[in-house]
Amino acid sequence: MTKLFFILFTTLLPILAFESDEPVGKLNGAFRQTKNKYGSMTDWKPRDSVTVIKVFRDGYWFGAFYDDKRRGRYDEKNTGPSPFNGACGGTYELKNGKYVETVGFYSWDSTAVGNVFTFDYKVSPQQYEQYGMMNSEQYKNYPINEISERIRAKEPLKNSALEGVWFMKEGQWGNDRLGEGKYKNIQVVKIFSYPMVVYAYYNAVTKQFNGAGGATYQYDGTTLTETNEFWSWQADGKRRGMVEKFKISPKNGQYTQQGWDGKLREVFVKVK
């Protein structure tokens, strides 16, 4: 089942994502939300108590909420801000002047998975704007209005070979393997849209979200350097700001990533 879904997801969905009236690459980039108007809100509210990002690349999108300082959103020990609130993602196309989004994973509400939402949008070198409504079992006819600023890199990208969307073909972390045990039926997508790299693990069968992470990054052709922004699997948030280096070996539309003192080995296939 895992291999079958992988084949379907990495062949059919990219085709759907590219059936656009406009090039999907028009949105490529990473954005941080500056203000929003959700639900019954009548006025715009500055996004100053939680970090919200949205990353686009070649027909795929990813969103995450983290570093949450909102009241009642503290960590498990109630000692500080929650390092991770949730993530979502999927594919998109641009049709009839609209941004059309298909949900592939959604940590807050699994009933949203598979749904298609259509938004008005504006994009510029400075920001991304999105106006519309989502509709799921948990969020009925829920208005979503967001304005985000583009995340700027501190330095030029040294090597662009990793830019794009990748799905994990093989993964091993110590004694754990992709497709086995707690990783059975887990799909992994990783999106490089400089200066951000984001990734998500989710169950393709149950539609349940497993986890996600994100970082700013630099790649020189041999070494991938990630500076962590969020990592859902560690509740105390101490990975924030951690710098990790991985050995990267690209070959024929795939790349192998190795690190964690030999405990991590992952193979990714690029979406064409």
Side-chain angles (χ1 to χ4, degrees), residues 64-190:
F65 285 56
Y66 60 97
D67 195 19
D68 197 339
K69 302 179 181 67
R70 292 174 291 179
R71 181 177 297 179
R73 306 296 182 97
Y74 283 79
D75 62 21
E76 294 177 352
K77 295 183 180 179
N78 202 36
T79 58
S82 172
F84 179 77
N85 179 275
C88 51
T91 60
Y92 71 89
E93 53 187 338
L94 304 177
K95 294 184 72 68
N96 300 318
K98 306 285 187 179
Y99 166 72
V100 183
E101 182 175 275
T102 300
V103 180
F105 59 91
Y106 198 84
S107 67
W108 301 276
D109 178 11
S110 63
T111 69
V113 175
N115 286 3
V116 178
F117 304 121
T118 300
F119 297 91
D120 293 313
Y121 77 97
K122 295 180 182 179
V123 64
S124 73
Q126 291 75 39
Q127 66 184 32
Y128 173 75
E129 304 175 31
Q130 181 173 305
Y131 308 94
M133 186 176 298
M134 71 172 293
N135 195 350
S136 68
E137 290 185 16
Q138 185 172 336
Y139 297 97
K140 296 287 188 181
N141 299 317
Y142 191 74
I144 300 284
N145 301 288
E146 302 168 326
I147 296 178
S148 303
E149 64 181 2
R150 190 179 294 272
I151 299 173
R152 299 292 183 182
K154 295 181 179 179
E155 60 179 350
L157 178 60
K158 296 177 181 178
N159 187 301
S160 63
L162 296 182
E163 286 289 279
V165 181
W166 305 76
F167 279 88
M168 190 181 292
K169 178 182 177 182
E170 302 173 23
Q172 183 168 357
W173 312 274
N175 295 322
D176 294 322
R177 289 177 180 270
L178 183 70
E180 300 177 2
K182 61 183 178 181
Y183 293 105
K184 184 178 181 180
N185 296 322
I186 292 296
Q187 303 297 313
V188 183
V189 60
K190 192 164 188 176

Side-chain angles (χ1 to χ4, degrees), residues 168 173 183 186-188 199-203 209-211 233 266:
M168 190 181 292
W173 312 274
Y183 293 105
I186 292 296
Q187 303 297 313
V188 183
Y199 45 93
Y201 290 54
Y202 53 96
N203 191 306
F209 174 78
N210 178 274
W233 298 276
E266 301 168 336

